Amino acid sequence: MKYFLRKTLVLVLTIFSISLLTFFAFHIIPGDPASLILGTNATEEQVAALQEQLGTNRPLSEQYISWITGFVRGDFGSSIRYRMPVSELLKGRLPVTLSLGLIALVMILAAGIPLGILAARWRGKPGEKILNILTMLGISVPNFFLCILIMWIFGLILHLFTPGDYVSYTRSLPRFLQSLFWPALSIAIPQTAILVKYIRTAMLEELGEDYVRTARGKGAGETWILYGHVLKNAIVAVVPLIGMILASVLSGSIIIEQVYGIPGMGKLLIGAVTSRDFPLTQTLVIYITVIIVVTNFLVDIVIQVIDPRIRLSGRS
Amino acid sequence: MKKTILAMLLTAVMAVSLAACGGSGNSTSSDPFIYGLAGEITDFDPFSSGGTANSRTITFNIFEGLVKVSTDGSVQPAVAEAVEKNEDATVYTFTLREGVKFHNGNAVTMDDVLYSIQKAIDAGTAGYNEIASFEAADDRTLVVTLNKTDTGFLDYFTQAIVPAGSDDNGEMVLAPIGTGPYKFQEYELQDHVTLVKFDDYWGEGGTLTEIVVKFLADQNAQLTNFQSGAIDGFGGYGEMGEQINEENATIIQTLSNMSQVLALNNSVEPFTDVKVRQAIAYAVDSQDVLDTVNFGIGQVVGSPVPPALTKYYMPELEDYYHKDNDKARALLEEAGYKDGLTFTVRIPSNYPVHVHCAEKIASQLEEVGITMQIEQIDWGTWLENVYKGRDYQATMISVDGATVSPTAFLARYVSDSKSNFMNFNSPAYDEAYNRALAATDEAEQIAAFKEAQQIIADECAGVFIEDIGSLTIYTREYEGYKSYPLTAMDFTAVKKIAEK
Amino acid sequence: MSENILEIKDLTLGVTERDGSMAVAVDHISFEVRAGEILGIVGESGCGKSLTVMSLMGLLREDVKALEGQILFQGEDLLAVSEERRREINGKDMSIIYQEPMTSLNPLMRIERQVAEPLRLHGSYSREELHQKALALLTEVGIQDPEACLRAYPHQLSGGMRQRVMIAMATICSPRILLADEPTTALDVTTQAHVLDLLKRINREYGTAILFISHDLGVINRICDRVLVMYAGKIVEAGTNRDILDAPCHEYTRGLIRSIPTRDRKGKELPSIPGRVPSVEDPKEPCPFAPRCRRAMEICHREAPACTRIDQDHIACCHLC
């Protein structure tokens, strides 16, 4: 219980300091939302009128205070650029990013764990080299390039899908999921590669442990050792990474959503920052913060469930 | 517990893979025309953002003013069926057209018109500060009195007419109601806008029944989406034409109706010296930029006024500063930059075409010992620091006009203009420009506007490069395009000519 | 009495050096483990005793190879058997306990599973049978609350309990021979005594032969019937416990005996053997101990000493014996 209290306190403090940081960042970066909406043709009177309408003529500190007091009451304010309540914007975007993230996560775990085990099994064999090259490629290929590659090969050459053909879940759930498949794959590939590398390293490290020698001494074979002894220990070592992956896929992938044209949280964040939409940016940054803090918390719990040596405690 | 999670995961995977294998098309005969736009439109407010180039792709089809622009740049009656002006162009009398309906089904009344004009005044719309009074003489007659002579005033009255009371709380922002040939149906944030044909349109409407404007990240996304078949058409720059297979596409070449300028900040060293500005103008070869970067699609210009404004356009300025490295070097030496000079050009990164042009120009300037460093900044920063703050040495941009009027392009060069981001300062120009504004005789006015342009060229406010060619590209199933002297997409011109 | 469970003949182990060459770590050693006896191997760390034990279990690190010799287990050469056969023997006929019971136990597995694991690997038993056997074994090795212990994780046990668990685990299949690699080194003196007693009892009651390794001749003397003294990969002296303790011949053995802490030497500094064990890659003299030997003669640096039989079981390899 003490643990939960402490975690909640940490969450609240983190949210507050992150919101302050965002506030200072907005202080520093140049750009005026009203001018951005109106473009270069606007008269000075037009800009002033719109600023008045949007409330962006008030000092930023005043805007911040009104946002944070609203936030505490559960009101996230109104988006300056999209002209609707931030909560409504989130309601539309969350299902998209969460679906995309969860599909990607399933792919990452479904491919990453078996491949990681395989990579550990294949140590010293030719298969290991191939897998190593593949993981290196997966990690080092820039994300946007991977997207283009996937679109080009699977979309334009093999015609397995139509790049850009996003269908909203409000229209058709199956077609929505279908249109998320390839973007999810694009998120999954580099993350899977990282996971494979980590699991492999963790497994190999565990294989050098004394308890593995004990198991061999008992007459256990390779498979028995890997699945019966090493895997669980290796998983403990990669749970924080899986937590980070979870946090990153749920935060919304800016690049993937942008390239595939998926209106999720990442794309919204781009829109919010480029248009200097203060309340929206604040809320999205807080969303990401909450995701990260909560996944860290989940990681703690999961590790605690797997590893009996670790107990949640109120003390640090 | 573990098994439940596993089962859930498996179900999710299966659902996704089933979906991925399933048929991708449930195409019906009435597929919408899908137009890909590089960028996104965030609101449809005709009194604010409706004036930006991107928004006009959509709002041009939804809204109409008392008058509207025609393809030759003249204004034609729209919601008004006739307009008269008095001799010194200070009183304009409009007669409302009968049978014009809003998309909500209501007929347009004088109340709606008065409401809309007041909205435009309140919003600070350009030109509306000239209005001294406006009143209804009767149900169908509107009298607008200006506080000074303005023969070009009608250009401002292309501003939208909306139902009275419809925008009291900014409702227009997300649910626009106009009188145009297409009505707004659906807006999905950052994804698309759907327009449908307005059956009660007073004029000759379009043939397409449904139009989806899809918001795409950039021109790469436009190309990919077009190649994949996700969109049926899009508008882009000349440099994109090379990547389209012409056998599968209809490519329509037009101009973008704005002059691309290498803007030199006239009040920042070294550009305070006209000789330096001229040296750069001589060192730049606009035709070379046009040919190499935009594959020859576009037109070289020498003035802020684009060729589409035929009456005011001065072709003689196109090659006013003919590429001449010797002259450039001589001018630099005179200005005290014998050993060359270095400056930075700040370019908004969301316009790759300007970046590409700047790269070409940098190599041309290199020939005379000028080093131009390119710095890319984001659009918001550009607007704030460069455009509003005027904190820059040089920048590269195409400034479009809100209306089809020379003032839309020339007003910013007046010394004390708020939008004079180049800090151009010429009393002679100010005099010529104001003379043009005051003129009631058209020939006299045209002459004054040309004189003003000549001053801009002589003083070399900036280096005008080209009116960048714009391409409208359709799949083979569509054709038709109407070119206006301002950035707009008129969907009534698009026709379906074949089935997929 | 003279049935041999293990016969090691000319066993030579090489360690791969960084440059790829092989350095000899265990040099042509031969000995046998007789049924029901406790055989000790003593020597300072680095003399090859652990490597020898690991080679008997087939658990050598990847960089260590058996270059020569035979390990005959009931007539079967373990260096030549298939991996499957090796796994059959391990844990069932031959098992091992280690110095570090903490790290030698899987931290994420309950004790019950770990203790019963050899049974699951070498036979098929029902859950209940496994539980009962594990329970019986824990009781056998003297754990107070065996039920609780079965449910525990390794980190919840004390060092002594962990070693008892290790012993239970190693003996659950009633092996013919138990290899014990410094099993008491990490324990405090009282626990050490208990564990030694336990091993002795297992040896007596079940006739399990034990190969007991320690760097501490004192411990060896308390439990072993016979002792091998190893130095730099060679057996330098062998004999019964009495032989070694009462009539050590090799100067190295003598040195080890001098360094046993005893009551009458309490308070005084323990004499230790000067110098250090040569590492595997160091060049060796004909008698590897010669550089540290206080009785070394000129011949010791020139000629390898022959091994002389002093008594029935007592052999020493020294020019002076």
Side-chain angles (χ1 to χ4, degrees):
Chain A
M1 200 55 222
K2 216 174 167 189
Y3 172 82
F4 290 96
L5 277 176
R6 199 179 122 247
K7 280 283 160 180
T8 316
L9 190 69
V10 166
L11 180 64
V12 169
L13 287 177
T14 315
I15 287 176
F16 184 68
S17 30
I18 291 285
S19 76
L20 265 181
L21 274 179
T22 315
F23 164 71
F24 284 122
F26 258 73
H27 237 309
I28 295 163
I29 54 168
D32 166 49
S35 307
L36 272 159
I37 290 172
L38 294 169
T40 47
N41 277 322
T43 63
E44 206 181 337
E45 295 77 23
Q46 256 177 313
V47 174
L50 189 59
Q51 279 177 341
E52 172 73 34
Q53 194 190 330
L54 298 173
T56 53
N57 51 349
R58 296 177 298 157
L60 192 62
S61 53
E62 208 177 288
Q63 294 178 50
Y64 175 70
I65 288 165
S66 74
W67 177 82
I68 195 116
T69 48
F71 181 81
V72 172
R73 294 193 308 266
D75 173 12
F76 303 159
S78 202
S79 161
I80 290 168
R81 184 186 204 187
Y82 298 104
R83 313 281 193 95
M84 47 176 108
V86 171
S87 53
E88 209 169 295
L89 282 172
L90 295 189
K91 232 186 324 178
R93 297 328 179 75
L94 268 175
V96 177
T97 286
L98 293 185
S99 308
L100 181 62
L102 288 178
I103 294 171
L105 187 72
V106 170
M107 287 174 172
I108 293 164
L109 296 181
I113 295 176
L115 282 176
I117 297 170
L118 211 59
R121 263 203 112 123
W122 282 351
R123 63 193 185 278
K125 293 189 187 148
E128 186 197 23
K129 278 223 172 74
I130 297 170
L131 215 51
N132 272 350
I133 292 171
L134 286 180
T135 47
M136 275 321 290
L137 270 177
I139 292 169
S140 50
V141 168
N143 221 247
F144 75 92
F145 184 68
L146 180 71
C147 294
I148 291 168
L149 218 59
I150 285 180
M151 283 201 208
W152 183 58
I153 294 173
F154 297 102
L156 300 183
I157 295 179
L158 298 175
H159 296 290
L160 291 179
F161 74 113
T162 311
D165 194 17
Y166 166 79
V167 180
S168 166
Y169 61 97
T170 51
R171 186 163 304 173
S172 157
L173 192 62
R175 288 189 63 202
F176 166 68
L177 293 175
Q178 183 186 335
S179 58
L180 293 186
F181 179 83
W182 296 95
L185 187 68
S186 313
I187 298 177
I189 286 173
Q191 306 274 31
T192 305
I194 294 171
L195 186 63
V196 167
K197 203 171 136 74
Y198 265 76
I199 291 184
R200 176 181 173 272
T201 312
M203 296 272 285
L204 291 186
E205 218 161 79
E206 291 298 326
L207 278 172
E209 291 293 328
D210 287 350
Y211 69 84
V212 171
R213 195 178 60 181
T214 309
R216 287 190 207 284
K218 292 175 183 176
E222 193 71 10
T223 310
W224 181 288
I225 287 171
L226 280 175
Y227 294 96
H229 287 275
V230 168
L231 185 57
K232 203 171 171 191
N233 281 283
I235 292 286
V236 171
V238 296
V239 163
L241 176 74
I242 294 176
M244 274 167 59
I245 290 174
L246 179 70
S248 85
V249 298
L250 294 186
S251 301
S253 167
I254 288 171
I255 292 169
I256 305 272
E257 290 182 4
Q258 191 78 351
V259 173
Y260 284 96
I262 294 166
M265 302 292 273
K267 205 175 175 198
L268 193 60
L269 182 61
I270 288 253
V273 173
T274 52
S275 61
R276 309 290 189 265
D277 190 336
F278 184 63
L280 182 57
T281 309
Q282 274 288 14
T283 313
L284 289 173
V285 169
I286 299 300
Y287 164 76
I288 294 170
T289 311
V290 171
I291 288 282
I292 290 169
V293 173
V294 169
T295 45
N296 277 336
F297 170 68
L298 280 178
V299 164
D300 281 359
I301 290 180
V302 169
I303 289 185
Q304 190 260 152
V305 167
I306 305 179
D307 192 338
R309 286 169 297 183
I310 292 157
R311 287 275 162 247
L312 302 180
S313 70
R315 293 157 292 128
S316 77
Chain B
M1 182 61 192
K2 273 182 199 162
K3 278 181 183 149
T4 324
I5 294 172
L6 192 68
M8 278 166 60
L9 290 185
L10 280 175
T11 320
V13 172
M14 274 165 60
V16 170
S17 42
L18 273 179
C21 300
S24 62
N26 55 348
S27 53
T28 56
S29 56
S30 61
D31 273 344
F33 172 69
I34 305 175
Y35 184 82
L37 184 74
E40 61 177 46
I41 289 151
T42 57
D43 69 73
F44 310 94
D45 185 358
F47 303 107
S48 60
S49 62
T52 59
N54 261 354
S55 292
R56 239 177 289 145
T57 303
I58 289 171
T59 54
F60 190 81
N61 299 279
I62 299 177
F63 295 113
E64 286 173 322
L66 290 172
V67 293
K68 68 180 197 181
V69 179
S70 66
T71 48
D72 64 2
S74 65
V75 288
Q76 301 292 335
V79 175
E81 64 180 4
V83 55
E84 279 171 30
K85 64 178 173 199
N86 69 352
E87 208 162 283
D88 65 351
T90 51
V91 178
Y92 285 75
T93 309
F94 298 86
T95 311
L96 298 194
R97 189 187 296 275
E98 291 222 58
V100 179
K101 278 187 174 171
F102 283 115
H103 297 153
N104 62 12
N106 297 341
V108 177
T109 66
M110 184 56 79
D111 281 349
D112 302 322
V113 174
L114 296 176
Y115 176 79
S116 303
I117 294 172
Q118 189 57 50
K119 278 297 284 189
I121 293 171
D122 294 345
T125 310
Y128 279 65
N129 55 355
E130 294 174 17
I131 297 176
S133 71
F134 63 101
E135 59 202 353
D138 59 50
D139 278 357
R140 292 184 56 209
T141 312
L142 172 77
V143 180
V144 178
T145 310
L146 306 185
N147 50 28
K148 63 172 185 178
T149 292
D150 189 351
T151 52
F153 185 73
L154 274 187
D155 290 327
Y156 301 126
F157 266 59
T158 52
Q159 178 65 41
I161 300 298
V162 301
S166 66
D167 196 31
D168 288 348
N169 301 304
E171 296 93 330
M172 275 296 149
V173 166
L174 296 173
I177 302 167
T179 59
Y182 283 93
K183 64 178 179 185
F184 171 87
Q185 190 183 45
E186 181 190 58
Y187 166 45
E188 197 164 304
L189 207 77
Q190 293 193 307
D191 191 55
H192 71 269
V193 164
T194 308
L195 304 177
V196 290
K197 190 173 182 214
F198 178 42
D199 292 326
D200 289 336
Y201 183 57
W202 61 269
E204 196 186 330
T207 58
L208 300 175
T209 50
E210 189 181 347
I211 295 154
V212 171
V213 178
K214 209 168 160 49
F215 307 147
L216 303 173
D218 50 28
Q219 47 188 37
N220 291 327
Q222 282 181 310
L223 285 168
T224 321
N225 278 261
F226 186 74
Q227 280 156 356
S228 77
I231 58 175
D232 299 312
F234 68 99
Y237 293 115
E239 57 175 354
M240 296 162 76
E242 285 297 297
Q243 298 173 61
I244 296 288
N245 182 355
E246 287 181 49
E247 280 175 29
N248 305 325
T250 308
I251 301 179
I252 299 153
Q253 280 186 30
T254 48
L255 293 177
S256 56
N257 301 319
M258 34 190 172
S259 295
Q260 181 191 38
V261 61
L262 172 62
L264 307 172
N265 193 335
N266 285 217
S267 61
V268 163
E269 293 288 345
F271 304 119
T272 44
D273 188 341
V274 65
K275 290 198 178 96
V276 177
R277 305 200 294 267
Q278 285 170 332
I280 288 174
Y282 278 118
V284 171
D285 185 345
S286 300
Q287 190 64 50
D288 188 25
V289 175
L290 174 61
D291 289 343
T292 51
V293 179
N294 291 317
F295 301 96
I297 301 168
Q299 188 181 334
V300 165
V301 296
S303 153
V305 177
L309 275 69
T310 40
K311 274 191 272 184
Y312 310 95
Y313 184 67
M314 297 172 75
E316 61 269 32
L317 297 179
E318 283 168 15
D319 204 21
Y320 198 63
Y321 292 97
H322 183 75
K323 168 83 169 170
D324 190 333
N325 285 349
D326 292 333
K327 266 191 197 160
R329 280 195 208 93
L331 282 162
L332 278 180
E333 197 171 338
E334 279 178 49
Y337 292 99
K338 190 169 174 287
D339 301 325
L341 67 94
T342 299
F343 68 95
T344 302
V345 61
R346 305 177 84 181
I347 305 176
S349 55
N350 54 331
Y351 290 112
V353 67
H354 295 318
V355 178
H356 299 153
C357 288
E359 280 158 1
K360 182 68 199 170
I361 290 172
S363 72
Q364 293 172 350
L365 295 180
E366 201 67 62
E367 294 166 19
V368 296
I370 298 172
T371 308
M372 182 171 86
Q373 289 159 340
I374 298 171
E375 184 193 333
Q376 294 191 48
I377 55 178
D378 97 311
W379 180 236
T381 308
W382 187 88
L383 275 179
E384 185 76 9
N385 287 356
V386 176
Y387 188 74
K388 258 167 77 179
R390 303 184 192 179
D391 173 23
Y392 72 100
Q393 278 186 297
T395 185
M396 192 115 176
I397 195 74
S398 289
V399 188
D400 69 330
T403 59
V404 190
S405 142
T407 57
F409 298 95
L410 293 174
R412 71 173 73 253
Y413 292 89
V414 174
S415 308
D416 59 356
S417 163
K418 293 284 193 289
S419 50
N420 183 359
F421 72 103
M422 287 157 78
N423 286 316
F424 182 63
N425 191 335
S426 160
Y429 176 85
D430 298 348
E431 188 275 322
Y433 181 81
N434 285 322
R435 183 151 37 83
L437 286 189
T440 47
D441 176 63
E442 197 185 13
E444 195 186 314
Q445 188 181 44
I446 291 173
F449 274 133
K450 286 194 172 176
E451 194 186 325
Q453 290 182 67
Q454 184 66 48
I455 295 167
I456 290 180
D458 287 333
E459 291 285 315
C460 198
V463 185
F464 296 92
I465 313 289
E466 56 182 323
D467 184 341
I468 298 172
S470 95
L471 299 178
T472 303
I473 298 163
Y474 300 136
T475 57
R476 281 286 175 198
E477 287 81 43
Y478 294 94
E479 68 166 21
Y481 181 77
K482 266 190 197 166
S483 175
Y484 290 87
L486 50 71
T487 315
M489 179 68 201
D490 184 351
F491 287 118
T492 62
V494 186
K495 288 176 182 61
K496 187 163 195 171
I497 50 168
E499 287 299 327
K500 272 181 197 169
Chain C
M1 178 70 198
S2 64
E3 190 208 341
N4 292 339
I5 292 174
L6 265 181
E7 262 176 76
I8 287 86
K9 290 183 177 164
D10 280 333
L11 180 66
T12 306
L13 301 176
V15 179
T16 315
E17 293 295 306
R18 239 168 270 141
D19 61 3
S21 65
M22 274 282 177
V24 172
V26 170
D27 194 2
H28 293 88
I29 61 167
S30 300
F31 64 93
E32 73 286 336
V33 182
R34 298 169 192 166
E37 75 165 343
I38 303 182
L39 174 67
I41 301 181
V42 70
E44 291 163 284
S45 41
C47 66
K49 40 189 207 312
S50 272
L51 281 184
T52 307
V53 171
M54 288 304 162
S55 75
L56 301 186
M57 287 299 291
L59 295 178
L60 288 172
R61 303 192 311 257
E62 270 172 28
D63 60 332
V64 185
K65 293 246 148 45
L67 302 176
E68 249 183 80
Q70 287 180 313
I71 300 170
L72 296 174
F73 174 71
Q74 297 175 320
E76 194 177 4
D77 184 4
L78 295 183
L79 289 179
V81 299
S82 70
E83 266 189 55
E84 285 76 26
R85 176 73 190 126
R86 183 73 249 190
R87 290 205 293 270
E88 275 171 38
I89 295 167
N90 279 5
K92 184 163 174 266
D93 301 315
M94 220 170 140
S95 57
I96 184 164
I97 57 176
Y98 304 95
Q99 177 177 347
E100 269 300 335
M102 180 65 222
T103 57
S104 299
L105 288 167
N106 186 336
L108 304 188
M109 206 185 261
R110 287 183 199 279
I111 298 298
E112 171 159 6
R113 243 180 113 79
Q114 304 202 50
V115 171
E117 196 175 13
L119 289 175
R120 294 172 58 217
L121 283 161
H122 298 289
S124 58
Y125 298 87
S126 71
R127 247 165 193 260
E128 187 51 34
E129 283 173 312
L130 292 174
H131 179 74
Q132 289 307 330
K133 290 220 172 213
L135 194 66
L137 249 290
L138 287 196
T139 318
E140 177 85 40
V141 298
I143 282 171
Q144 299 297 326
D145 184 354
E147 280 284 3
C149 180
L150 284 180
R151 282 193 303 272
Y153 286 97
H155 72 279
Q156 295 164 322
L157 306 179
S158 70
M161 276 176 57
R162 282 185 211 125
Q163 198 57 290
R164 284 173 202 271
V165 165
M166 284 297 290
I167 293 168
M169 209 161 76
T171 54
I172 197 163
C173 286
S174 316
R176 299 291 316 273
I177 176 165
L178 174 66
L179 311 183
D181 187 1
E182 305 247 12
T184 57
T185 309
L187 306 174
D188 63 76
V189 182
T190 324
T191 322
Q192 195 171 4
H194 288 148
V195 169
L196 289 178
D197 287 346
L198 173 63
L199 288 174
K200 231 174 194 169
R201 187 155 57 82
I202 287 166
N203 171 257
R204 297 270 154 72
E205 284 179 23
Y206 303 98
T208 312
I210 296 176
L211 180 58
F212 192 100
I213 286 184
S214 179
H215 65 279
D216 182 350
L217 197 50
V219 172
I220 294 275
N221 275 314
R222 287 178 55 182
I223 181 166
C224 296
D225 302 316
R226 282 196 309 133
V227 181
L228 306 176
V229 181
M230 267 187 93
Y231 185 78
K234 284 186 169 149
I235 296 174
V236 295
E237 188 161 6
T240 63
N241 203 359
R242 289 273 111 216
D243 293 336
I244 297 297
L245 204 61
D246 298 344
C249 181
H250 200 281
E251 186 52 31
Y252 183 58
T253 316
R254 294 183 179 193
L256 290 176
I257 291 171
R258 274 195 297 275
S259 57
I260 300 173
T262 54
R263 205 155 297 185
D264 52 312
R265 288 201 216 122
K266 206 173 172 184
K268 293 177 200 156
E269 198 187 325
L270 269 182
S272 61
I273 307 166
R276 58 170 187 91
V277 184
S279 72
V280 174
E281 62 267 28
D282 288 343
K284 289 187 193 90
E285 298 221 16
C287 170
F289 189 64
R292 297 172 73 191
C293 184
R294 58 181 183 183
R295 294 199 294 165
M297 307 172 295
E298 186 248 355
I299 187 170
C300 299
H301 300 286
R302 197 157 31 84
E303 215 173 282
C307 296
T308 340
R309 186 172 294 276
I310 300 165
D311 206 339
Q312 190 189 359
D313 284 323
H314 194 182
I315 296 173
C317 310
C318 174
H319 288 291
L320 287 163
C321 296

